[in-house]
Amino acid sequence: MLYAKLIIDKSAIANITSILKNFTCNNTFVVAPVMTTVCTNGTGSKECECKPDHRWNDTFCQSNPKCCGNATCTLDKSADAKCVLNTTVTITGSLRLQGSTYTDCLEDITNPKYANCSDGLLTKMKTVYSTLWGFDFLNITRFRIGSVIADFKIIIASSIDSQALISNSVKIGQSLSASLDMETSGLVNLKMPPMPVPYDATNQVIRCTTKEDLKIYPQWSIINSKGQYDITTGTVSTVYTSSRTNSTVNLRNVTELWNGQFSCIYHQTGNCITSGCTVNMLHKASAQLDVALLPNIDVFTEPSFPRCKTENDILQAKAKCEISNSTEPYTVTWDGGLKGQLETQSGNILVYTTSKIIICAHRTSVDTRVCTFTNRLGNVRQATVRFNIISVNDKYCPAEGDWEDTKATFTAVLKCKNSAGQRTRKCDLEGIWRKEESKCVNFDLDNILQNAAISGTGLGALEKNAESIFFSLTNATQNPQTINTFPNLNASVQVISTMSIILTDHGVNDTTTSNNFLASSSNLLDGSLGNSWNKPDPESNKSLAEKYLQSVENLIAISNISNDSNLTNLHVQTCSEDKCTNTVFNATVTVKNSGNGIVKTAGFKYLQDYLPNTTEAFNINSIVVSTTTQWGKENLEITLKFPLLTPRRRHVKLQCVSWNYNQSNWTDEGCVWGGDSKPDECICNHLTSFAILMSRYPIEIPYMTEITYAGLSASVVSLVISLLIELIVWSKVVKTNTLHLRHTAHVNISLCLLVADCCFLASSQPEIISEIWCRIAALLKHFCYLAMFFWMLSLSTMLLHQAVFLFHKVGKKTYLRFSLVLGYVCPFLIVFITFLTNKGGAQGAYFCLETCWLVYSGLLKGTIYTFILPVGIIVFINLFAMIVVIMKLLDHRIREKSHEKEIQAAKTVLRSVILLTPIFGLPWIFGFATFILDLTAGAVTLAVNYAFVVLNAFQGLFILLTTCLGDRMTREALLNSFRKKAPPTISESSTNLETTTKNS
C-alpha cells in the first residue's frame, strides 16, 4: 500500500477527491481518499485538528505528548501534523530466532550477508502478514544479540481482527521456531478528560474502549515521576469494567501522583504446537494525563533572625520560597508585584528569593513577604515568609555552631544533611539554647514511608505494594547502626502502622510478604536500639512501643502465617486445634475453645522495657506475649506461663495484666494470677497482649509495725521490771540450789531477751540503717535468741537430772558452770561457725538486708535453720524433761519428808519450764511458719504473721506476768519488801518462806 501526502486549499478538496477516485495506473488505484488533518495558519504558528474518527498518529504523540488526546494542537508552521483513522493499527514487536540460521543478520549492515539474511526474513514475514486486510507496511528496524532478535514494525491502515493477527503470528513462530512479543497501538482507544486537568480536580474519568471483543479484560497502568504502577481500585482510583470492551478509571482527587502516562492493556497469547514457539501480544493504548500542578512550598529567611545591634542599623535580608523541581511552568510573584527570582537550583530543589530592607528604627513588629505560584490554569498557591527580627533590647540565643542568632521563645530550623527532615532547636524565654531535636530520617526509610502512604490509593496492586514495602523495610532495618535514632525508628514504626491500617480489610495472603513483615518487625526490637525507643513522641498521644505493638498484633492477625516463625527478637507460633498450646521464647500460651480458628501467639523481646510503665507500684517482669485468633473470641480460657525476668521475692505480689489500647495502660481486668503456688501462671478470659508485673515492694501487713512497736516497748519495760524484781527479792527467794538455778536462768533469759528486743527495735526499719549495723543486729539477735533457749535447756536438764537421780544434790557452782557453758558457749559456737561458713557474714548469705535477720532460701536451705533446728531440739528435750519430771513427782516413793523442800522447789522450776517453753517456743513455731508461708497466699498467712508478731513482741510481758508476778513466792517476797514494819526474825522469815514454798 502506498501513501501520498497532498497539501491543498480547502476549496479544492471536492474536485481532487473525485479525480483520485477514478485514478488507475499499472494496477495501482486509490481507495477511499479522505481528508485526515486540517490546519489553520496563524502568526508564527498553526493550529491543527483531526477530522472526526481520526486521531494523532503514534509518532506525533511521542513528540507532542501534550497534544495527544486533545482535539486541537498548536504547532510551529514547519511542524508536520498527521492524523490517522481511529482504526489504524501500529504493531511493534520482536522476533526471537533460535539456532544459527539467521546469525548473518548480526553482520555489519554493509555486509552482503546481512542483506541476504534480512531480506529473506522480511520476505517470509510479509508473505504471512500481507494477507491481513488493510496491510500497509512491514519493516525490520534492527537486529539484536540474544540469540538473534529482530525488531519490526507493522502498520495496518484499517480495523484489524486480533484473532487473525495472532493466528498469523503463530504461523510465523512455528515456521521459524521463534518467539514473538508484540504490541499493538490503535486497536484500543483511550479517551482522556480535557487537559490540562486542574490540581485537586475530582471525579476525573479515563475511558478505555475496543470495537472488537478481545475475549479478555484490560489492565491499567501508569508511569509517573515515582515509577511504573498498575492501577487498581483504592482510596483515590476506582477501576470499573462494565464489559470486556469498556473499562474506566475514576480519579476521586487528582494530584501530582496521577500526572503521568496512562495505559490500557489487553494481553493475549497464541497457542503454538512447535516447541520453542510462543506468542505474547499486548493491545495497548497510552495517553498522557497532564495535570496543572501546584507546589508544596517551604519558606525561609536569610539570615533566619535578622538582628539589630543598634537602632540606627539598616539590614538587608532575603525571603526564600523553596519547591521541588517540576514540569509545571509556574509564574512566581511576590507581594507588591515583584517577580520571583530563581536564585538557585540545587538538585531537585528550586529556590525563589526577594530582598527586604529592614530599618531598625522604623521596623514593624512583624515583617512579611508573600510568594505566589500560579500554574497554567491560573490556580495559585501562596506562602507567607515572616521576618522575625531581633530588636536591640530583645533577648536572643547567640550563634553556636550551625545555629544562627535566634530570638527568644522561637525555634531555629535547619535542614538535615544527607537525610530527609529538619533539625530544630528552641531558644527559651531567657535566651538560653535548649537541646537540639532531630527529625532526620535516612533517605531509604523516608522513601519507604512515602510509598507506604500511597500504597492504598490505587497506584499499584495493594498486595504487590505491601510485598515491596516490607522487603525494602527489612533491608533498611537490617543494620541497627543505620536506624539507631528516634526519627528513624519512628519512621519504621510508622511504615508498619500505615500498612496495618491499609491492609486491615484486605489481609496479607502472600507468605513472602508475611515473612518480610515479621523480619522487619524483629529488626526493630534489636537490643542496641533501646535508647531510641524510650524517647517521647511529641506528635502522638501513644508511645512508639504501643503503636508498634498494636500494628504488629493486627498484622499478625490478618497475615497468612501457618508455620513457626522464630526470629531473633520476634517469635510467632500458630495452632489450629480445639485446645491450642503455643510456646514463644519459653512462654507457653494455652487457649481453650478456640472455635477451630488459627491461634497465633507472638513473643516480643525487649518490648516490655519500651512500653510505658503505667503502674507506679509494679515493674514489668516478663516478655510481652500477644495472642490472637480468627474465630471464637467469646468464652475463652487463656492460660499463660511466663519465664520471669527477675525471680519473685518472698511476699512480693505479681499481677497478670494486658495492654488496654483505649486507655494506653496495663490493666488486670479479665486476668487472674496463679498465686504463690504458681507464680509464673496467669489465667485470662480474653485475647490481647499480656505480661506479668511484679510489685516493687513486699506486701505490707496492716498495723504490723504499730503492734511490733507496742509489744516490744511493753516487753522492754516488762523485762526491766522483771530484772528489778529479781534484784529486790533475790536474797529472799533463793533458798535452795534448785531455786538458785531457776532465778539465775530467769535473769539471764530476761537479759538475753532484753538485748534481742532492743536490737529488734533498732533494726525495725532496715532501709534507713547501714549494712554493717544490720549485720550486727542480726548477729546479736541470733545469739541472744539462741541463748534464751539454751538457758531454758539448762533448767530442764537440771530438773531431769534431779528427777532421774532422785534429787541428788549437785553443788551450786557446778550447776552455774554447766549453765553458763550451755547458756552462752553453745549458742556462741553455733553463731560463730554459721557466721564464718556463710561468706564471713555476707549479706544474702548470712543475713537478709530487708529484715536484718537470718536467710531463708527454701526447705533446709539458709542460715535460719541454724536457729530453727537448735530451738526445735531444745523444745523437744524440754517436753521430754517435763514428762519425766511429772511422772517422778507423781511417784509416791519419793514423797519423803526429807525431800519436801526440794520437791516444792522442783515444782516451781517445772512450772517455769512449762510456762516458758510455750512462751518462747510457740512464737518461733509461728515464726518458722512465716518463712514457709507467703503473704500472697491469703488470710491464713496473715493470721500466722499476726500470731507470730503478737506472741514474739509481748514475750517480755508474758515473762513478767508468769514467772515473776505469777509466782507466789516471788510475789510474797516482793510484798514483804515493801511492807513498812520491822523486819521479821530469822526464824520467822524462814518459817514464812518455808510456808510459802509449801503453798506455792
Side-chain angles (χ1 to χ4, degrees):
M1 184 179 289
L2 301 176
Y3 282 92
K5 178 180 177 182
L6 183 63
I7 301 176
I8 60 172
D9 190 82
K10 187 175 181 180
S11 61
I13 291 176
N15 293 332
I16 294 298
T17 300
S18 61
I19 294 172
L20 291 176
K21 284 182 179 180
N22 299 319
F23 176 80
T24 59
C25 179
N26 297 328
N27 294 322
T28 299
F29 55 91
V30 176
V31 178
V34 294
M35 181 173 60
T36 63
T37 312
V38 177
C39 294
T40 303
N41 288 329
T43 303
S45 63
K46 61 182 178 181
E47 189 171 279
C48 300
E49 63 177 348
C50 293
K51 295 294 287 181
D53 298 324
H54 288 72
R55 60 178 175 83
W56 299 109
N57 69 1
D58 295 336
T59 304
F60 182 82
C61 277
Q62 291 173 4
S63 58
N64 299 276
K66 294 182 180 179
C67 293
C68 194
N70 289 343
T72 60
C73 186
T74 301
L75 303 167
D76 293 336
K77 283 189 174 181
S78 60
D80 188 13
K82 179 183 177 183
C83 296
V84 295
L85 284 170
N86 284 337
T87 56
T88 298
V89 177
T90 301
I91 305 167
T92 58
S94 60
L95 183 68
R96 184 182 294 273
L97 301 160
Q98 304 295 329
S100 58
T101 306
Y102 292 93
T103 53
D104 288 346
C105 292
L106 298 175
E107 297 288 345
D108 188 85
I109 193 172
T110 59
N111 192 320
K113 291 182 179 180
Y114 171 84
N116 292 334
C117 179
S118 176
D119 292 343
L121 180 60
L122 185 60
T123 300
K124 289 183 177 181
M125 294 179 68
K126 284 184 175 180
T127 301
V128 176
Y129 285 117
S130 62
T131 59
L132 295 171
W133 172 255
F135 175 79
D136 178 18
F137 172 82
L138 188 154
N139 185 37
I140 296 175
T141 56
R142 65 168 180 166
F143 288 95
R144 294 183 285 125
I145 296 176
S147 298
V148 177
I149 300 175
D151 295 331
F152 61 90
K153 182 176 183 179
I154 304 174
I155 296 178
I156 308 296
S158 64
S159 60
I160 188 173
D161 182 351
S162 64
Q163 294 302 318
L165 178 59
I166 289 180
S167 177
N168 285 9
S169 299
V170 169
K171 289 179 181 179
I172 288 290
Q174 289 178 342
S175 65
L176 299 175
S177 296
S179 299
L180 286 93
D181 293 309
M182 305 172 69
E183 182 179 302
T184 70
S185 175
L187 190 62
V188 180
N189 295 316
L190 203 59
K191 184 178 180 182
M192 306 295 290
M195 288 183 282
V197 177
Y199 193 85
D200 283 335
T202 59
N203 297 322
Q204 297 298 302
V205 178
I206 303 169
R207 187 178 302 277
C208 175
T209 59
T210 62
K211 291 185 177 180
E212 177 188 352
D213 184 359
L214 299 175
K215 310 300 181 184
I216 52 173
Y217 289 97
Q219 295 177 337
W220 289 87
S221 67
I222 182 176
I223 300 175
N224 61 14
S225 59
K226 296 181 72 65
Q228 182 172 352
Y229 302 91
D230 292 332
I231 301 175
T232 60
T233 297
T235 57
V236 176
S237 65
T238 301
V239 177
Y240 176 69
T241 302
S242 58
S243 66
R244 290 184 295 208
T245 61
N246 193 335
S247 180
T248 60
V249 172
N250 187 312
L251 300 178
R252 297 182 184 89
N253 182 40
V254 178
T255 61
E256 62 275 0
L257 291 175
W258 303 97
N259 183 45
Q261 187 181 60
F262 282 71
S263 296
C264 178
I265 304 169
Y266 289 82
H267 185 194
Q268 288 183 316
T269 58
N271 297 319
C272 293
I273 300 174
T274 306
S275 61
C277 167
T278 59
V279 176
N280 290 303
M281 185 170 297
L282 300 179
H283 303 292
K284 181 178 179 182
S286 298
Q288 183 79 16
L289 182 67
D290 184 21
V291 181
L293 302 174
L294 287 175
N296 294 318
I297 308 171
D298 293 325
V299 297
F300 300 93
T301 63
E302 187 181 299
S304 302
F305 296 88
R307 183 164 75 92
C308 294
K309 297 180 180 178
T310 67
E311 291 291 345
N312 298 323
D313 285 352
I314 298 176
L315 310 177
Q316 183 175 13
K318 287 184 179 180
K320 294 184 177 183
C321 287
E322 297 185 4
I323 66 170
S324 297
N325 199 358
S326 174
T327 57
E328 183 69 27
Y330 293 112
T331 300
V332 184
T333 58
W334 293 87
D335 53 331
L338 299 174
K339 186 176 181 181
Q341 178 184 357
L342 179 60
E343 182 183 78
T344 59
Q345 183 171 352
S346 175
N348 197 37
I349 300 298
L350 302 178
V351 182
Y352 293 87
T353 66
T354 189
S355 296
K356 168 70 177 176
I357 302 299
I358 299 171
I359 302 175
C360 293
H362 305 293
R363 73 170 186 83
T364 59
S365 57
V366 178
D367 245 326
T368 62
R369 283 287 183 266
V370 178
C371 58
T372 302
F373 289 77
T374 307
N375 66 15
R376 286 168 289 163
L377 295 179
N379 306 127
V380 299
R381 181 164 287 177
Q382 295 180 327
T384 300
V385 185
R386 296 180 179 274
F387 292 92
N388 298 305
I389 302 168
I390 303 174
S391 300
V392 174
N393 297 321
D394 286 344
K395 290 185 178 180
Y396 70 97
C397 294
E400 184 179 293
D402 294 339
W403 304 97
E404 299 178 354
D405 294 338
T406 300
K407 192 173 182 178
T409 72
F410 283 79
T411 300
V413 179
L414 292 175
K415 287 185 177 181
C416 297
K417 297 177 180 179
N418 302 319
S419 56
Q422 295 178 334
R423 298 156 55 202
T424 60
R425 196 175 184 188
K426 176 81 173 179
C427 178
D428 68 14
L429 184 64
E430 300 300 322
I432 299 174
W433 283 113
R434 292 186 181 175
K435 188 177 179 181
E436 175 184 333
E437 294 291 336
S438 173
K439 296 182 180 178
C440 300
V441 179
N442 68 52
F443 287 122
D444 288 341
L445 282 175
D446 184 65
N447 185 52
I448 295 169
L449 182 57
Q450 292 183 32
N451 288 337
I454 65 173
S455 61
T457 59
L459 281 174
L462 182 56
E463 294 80 6
K464 291 183 178 180
N465 288 345
E467 180 183 355
S468 174
I469 287 167
F470 284 124
F471 175 77
S472 300
L473 184 62
T474 300
N475 291 334
T477 58
Q478 196 73 38
N479 183 0
Q481 298 305 316
T482 62
I483 59 168
N484 60 349
T485 63
F486 176 80
N488 283 329
L489 205 60
N490 184 49
S492 303
V493 173
Q494 188 61 42
V495 171
I496 296 176
S497 176
T498 301
M499 297 308 298
S500 172
I501 295 170
I502 293 173
L503 292 168
T504 296
D505 295 330
H506 300 83
V508 182
N509 297 317
D510 184 69
T511 304
T512 302
T513 303
S514 299
N515 291 338
N516 284 327
F517 142 65
L518 293 174
S520 58
S521 301
S522 175
N523 292 342
L524 296 181
L525 292 178
D526 188 86
S528 63
L529 299 176
N531 293 332
S532 301
W533 277 99
N534 291 326
K535 292 183 180 179
D537 182 5
E539 299 178 0
S540 176
N541 294 328
K542 292 188 175 183
S543 68
L544 189 61
E546 180 183 7
K547 187 189 296 184
Y548 168 90
L549 178 60
Q550 187 172 20
S551 303
V552 174
E553 186 179 272
N554 181 57
L555 282 171
I556 289 174
I558 64 176
S559 294
N560 178 22
I561 303 173
S562 56
N563 297 320
D564 187 11
S565 179
N566 191 359
L567 300 168
T568 305
N569 304 304
L570 177 61
H571 187 185
V572 180
Q573 195 172 77
T574 63
C575 172
S576 56
E577 300 175 0
D578 292 337
K579 180 181 178 181
C580 285
T581 300
N582 293 327
T583 301
V584 291
F585 295 133
N586 296 324
T588 301
V589 179
T590 301
V591 181
K592 293 182 181 178
N593 189 23
S594 60
N596 296 321
I598 298 178
V599 176
K600 302 172 185 175
T601 300
F604 303 86
K605 275 189 180 179
Y606 308 115
L607 187 60
Q608 72 277 359
D609 298 328
Y610 311 144
L611 285 166
N613 188 357
T614 57
T615 55
E616 294 182 1
F618 287 82
N619 283 329
I620 191 165
N621 196 33
S622 72
I623 65 169
V624 177
V625 172
S626 170
T627 297
T628 60
T629 186
Q630 293 170 309
W631 303 283
K633 295 184 178 180
E634 302 296 331
N635 301 319
L636 291 175
E637 182 180 323
I638 320 296
T639 303
L640 305 99
K641 290 188 177 181
F642 291 93
L644 300 181
L645 301 178
T646 302
R648 186 182 75 92
R649 304 188 307 277
R650 281 175 46 76
H651 310 313
V652 172
K653 184 180 180 181
L654 299 185
Q655 191 176 47
C656 295
V657 293
S658 60
W659 187 260
N660 186 325
Y661 291 110
N662 295 325
Q663 299 177 2
S664 296
N665 62 6
W666 292 110
T667 175
D668 61 353
E669 183 178 354
C671 289
V672 178
W673 178 45
D676 177 55
S677 59
K678 299 177 181 178
D680 59 347
E681 184 173 294
C682 297
I683 298 177
C684 301
N685 60 13
H686 59 87
L687 293 172
T688 184
S689 297
F690 304 97
I692 281 185
L693 302 181
M694 185 167 73
S695 175
R696 297 174 188 264
Y697 313 104
I699 294 175
E700 292 187 1
I701 303 175
Y703 306 109
M704 185 66 75
T705 302
E706 291 81 356
I707 294 172
T708 301
Y709 283 146
L712 289 176
S713 299
S715 288
V716 169
V717 173
S718 299
L719 290 169
V720 172
I721 294 173
S722 296
L723 291 171
L724 289 174
I725 290 173
E726 287 290 346
L727 182 63
I728 294 170
V729 303
W730 183 269
S731 60
K732 298 180 177 61
V733 297
V734 179
K735 296 301 181 181
T736 66
N737 290 347
T738 304
L739 290 174
H740 182 273
L741 179 59
R742 182 251 183 184
H743 286 280
T744 301
H746 176 242
V747 169
N748 282 278
I749 288 171
S750 298
L751 282 172
C752 290
L753 185 57
L754 180 62
V755 174
D757 285 349
C758 291
C759 290
F760 204 109
L761 280 172
S763 61
S764 59
Q765 292 183 313
E767 64 276 4
I768 64 174
I769 64 175
S770 64
E771 181 179 334
I772 184 65
W773 284 111
C774 191
R775 181 185 287 109
I776 292 172
L779 269 170
L780 288 174
K781 285 189 285 184
H782 190 190
F783 173 76
C784 289
Y785 283 132
L786 275 178
M788 282 175 17
F789 281 95
F790 274 99
W791 273 101
M792 284 180 58
L793 180 62
S794 70
L795 276 175
S796 61
T797 52
M798 180 271 292
L799 281 176
L800 185 61
H801 173 266
Q802 288 193 348
V804 172
F805 296 101
L806 300 177
F807 301 104
H808 174 68
K809 291 186 178 180
V810 179
K812 186 185 297 185
K813 291 183 179 181
T814 304
Y815 268 135
L816 190 58
R817 290 193 194 99
F818 172 76
S819 298
L820 287 173
V821 170
L822 190 61
Y824 289 117
V825 175
C826 289
F828 175 79
L829 290 175
I830 293 173
V831 173
F832 182 73
I833 293 171
T834 304
F835 186 86
L836 289 182
T837 56
N838 286 276
K839 301 179 181 178
Q843 186 266 327
Y846 174 72
F847 75 101
C848 178
L849 191 60
E850 295 176 355
T851 59
C852 294
W853 184 228
L854 303 178
V855 173
Y856 173 78
S857 303
L859 187 61
L860 297 178
K861 295 179 181 178
T863 54
I864 188 64
Y865 288 97
T866 63
F867 176 75
I868 295 295
L869 292 178
V871 167
I873 293 171
I874 291 172
V875 170
F876 175 77
I877 294 174
N878 285 355
L879 292 174
F880 175 75
M882 284 189 292
I883 294 171
V884 172
V885 171
I886 291 171
M887 291 177 64
K888 288 292 184 180
L889 289 175
L890 293 175
D891 189 352
H892 67 280
R893 289 177 298 175
I894 65 170
R895 294 179 177 275
E896 297 179 8
K897 187 148 183 161
S898 60
H899 297 298
E900 188 67 25
K901 291 184 178 181
E902 292 294 337
I903 291 172
Q904 294 301 325
K907 287 181 178 180
T908 302
V909 175
L910 178 62
R911 185 175 57 198
S912 294
V913 173
I914 292 173
L915 291 173
L916 289 177
T917 296
I919 289 175
F920 292 144
L922 190 60
W924 290 107
I925 292 174
F926 284 105
F928 183 66
T930 61
F931 280 102
I932 298 174
L933 299 176
D934 197 286
L935 287 176
T936 59
V940 174
T941 308
L942 288 176
V944 170
N945 276 268
Y946 278 122
F948 168 68
V949 170
V950 171
L951 292 176
N952 193 53
F954 287 94
Q955 279 180 335
L957 180 61
F958 294 151
I959 290 174
L960 175 64
L961 295 176
T962 57
T963 61
C964 285
L965 301 180
D967 179 49
R968 187 174 180 181
M969 182 184 296
T970 304
R971 191 168 60 249
E972 290 292 336
L974 184 63
L975 290 174
N976 290 333
S977 299
F978 289 101
R979 285 179 184 160
K980 295 182 178 180
K981 63 179 182 177
T985 62
I986 297 176
S987 58
E988 289 176 340
S989 178
S990 300
T991 304
N992 289 337
L993 285 175
E994 191 172 324
T995 304
T996 303
T997 304
K998 291 179 181 180
N999 295 333
S1000 64

